[in-house]
Amino acid sequence: MREAPEMDSARWPGVVLLHGIARTSASLKHLERALQSAGFATLNIDYASRERPIAVLADDIHPAIARFAERDAPLHFVAHSMGGLVTRAYIAKHRPNRLGGVVMLGTPNGGSEVADLLSGSRLYRVFYGPAGLELTTALRSCAPAAVDYPVGVIAGNRFIDPVAGLFILPRPNDGRVTVQNAVLAGMTDHIVVKASHTGLPSHATVIAQTIAFLREGRFRSGTTHAAVRRSCA
């Protein structure tokens, strides 16, 4: 596991950034730079997303986060895709004393129908590993319910892959996760932006809204708030 250098100021609020499955910390560099410019210290972690179950990944990242959390400042999390599930598992087991808010970008809190379709494939299982099998709707749809900390969910409603976007996933979706499956019981706020799944972390509106949530505990008005309800997530 490789960690990105953190900012020096111990007084700045900290943000842990967690990438999605089969991605690296580089996928969040644009977002990280924006957070630093906005006055946040950052820890952008690389972790073995394709090699271990989500609960084990949460343990893997704990030493680096525990060191970062020693700063005398609130600690926030911003996570893309499966990184949001790793965040939930991490907080459930290793909750920081100064936990602030969590922003999830396209996280499959209710699973993904794409994973449902592909999980029976040996190629999928080999490439995405044990965590990939935890992304199906069957395993995620009734996972432990409400969170008791501030969570902002940002979902996308544009897709690049027409096969998944048009024929596999119910609409609206971002090409990997539906807006319906991105929401989470107990979340504080949620918005829908015109972005694809992979494009969420670098989207200007997503970045601005992420910073707004970390500062104010709410997203700014003027962006679509989807009317979505789930019985479990």
Side-chain angles (χ1 to χ4, degrees):
M1 179 179 67
R2 178 174 59 82
E3 340 171 348
E6 63 198 60
M7 299 297 290
D8 291 332
S9 176
R11 296 187 300 273
W12 289 9
V15 180
V16 175
L17 294 111
L18 293 174
H19 61 78
I21 193 166
R23 307 282 295 196
T24 70
S25 60
S27 65
L28 301 178
K29 288 300 292 184
H30 187 65
L31 174 58
E32 180 183 23
R33 287 192 292 268
L35 287 165
Q36 291 172 352
S37 296
F40 294 93
T42 59
L43 178 67
N44 190 3
I45 299 178
D46 270 318
Y47 64 97
S49 61
R50 298 190 297 117
E51 297 177 12
R52 303 172 187 270
I54 289 172
V56 178
L57 294 173
D59 289 335
D60 287 348
I61 63 178
H62 179 54
I65 296 176
R67 289 193 298 271
F68 188 60
E70 291 173 358
R71 304 165 63 261
D72 187 19
L75 184 66
H76 305 286
F77 289 77
V78 175
H80 179 227
S81 194
M82 191 189 80
L85 303 182
V86 177
T87 298
R88 289 174 61 188
Y90 180 84
I91 294 173
K93 188 170 183 181
H94 305 289
R95 184 175 183 137
N97 291 331
R98 300 182 184 90
L99 179 63
V102 175
V103 178
M104 298 181 179
L105 315 177
T107 293
N109 286 299
S112 171
E113 288 82 359
V114 174
D116 290 348
L117 179 67
L118 299 178
S119 60
S121 161
R122 182 177 180 276
L123 183 62
Y124 177 91
R125 296 195 302 272
V126 169
F127 184 79
Y128 287 105
L133 296 177
E134 296 184 67
L135 303 181
T136 66
T137 59
L139 289 174
R140 301 302 311 173
S141 62
C142 288
V147 294
D148 62 351
Y149 45 87
V151 175
V153 170
I154 302 180
N157 63 1
R158 295 291 185 271
F159 51 84
I160 298 171
D161 177 4
V163 176
L166 291 173
F167 302 110
I168 298 175
L169 293 163
R171 283 180 276 179
N173 66 75
D174 66 7
R176 290 294 178 268
V177 180
T178 66
V179 170
Q180 179 81 13
N181 284 348
V183 301
L184 176 65
M187 63 187 178
T188 306
D189 202 359
H190 68 102
I191 55 172
V192 180
V193 300
K194 297 177 181 178
S196 67
H197 189 73
T198 56
L200 281 165
S202 58
H203 194 280
T205 299
V206 171
I207 292 173
Q209 292 282 15
T210 295
I211 293 170
F213 188 90
L214 296 183
R215 285 176 170 168
E216 305 163 18
R218 289 279 177 181
F219 295 122
R220 294 174 185 165
S221 59
T223 304
T224 303
H225 286 62
V228 181
R229 288 179 171 81
R230 293 186 59 83
S231 59
C232 54

